[in-house]
Amino acid sequence: MPADLITEPRSRAGRRGVSSYTTEAVRHQLAMDGLAEIVASHEADHGALTEQEAEEARRELFGEDHSQDAGRNAA
């Protein structure tokens, strides 16, 4: 792994916590990859997600508060 990618996790997690920090990052990336596969499969069968479908998925995954924040950030 490039040294510049080690510096910040080390400062955030402490030297002994880098392994745990990295484990959580990989776990998160695998979950995101899985979601991308689900969306790709759905879109292959049904076409692109509508904004309403995407919003419903955001609410289901992250809750009402996150959904409202996503709308604000998009503006």
Side-chain angles (χ1 to χ4, degrees):
M1 183 180 300
D4 62 322
L5 290 179
I6 292 292
T7 304
E8 191 162 353
R10 192 171 281 157
S11 70
R12 291 178 181 266
R15 196 164 185 79
R16 293 188 315 197
V18 172
S19 178
S20 176
Y21 191 92
T22 304
T23 298
E24 288 307 310
V26 170
R27 201 172 268 138
H28 175 79
Q29 185 60 51
L30 290 171
M32 294 300 99
D33 291 350
L35 287 173
E37 290 169 5
I38 291 168
V39 170
S41 175
H42 175 85
E43 289 183 336
D45 293 342
H46 306 286
L49 289 172
T50 65
E51 186 55 41
Q52 181 181 354
E53 290 170 323
E55 184 61 29
E56 289 172 11
R58 275 188 212 98
R59 269 196 303 273
E60 188 172 327
L61 288 169
F62 304 111
E64 199 67 37
D65 292 338
H66 181 75
S67 185
Q68 293 169 357
D69 290 342
R72 277 190 228 122
N73 292 337

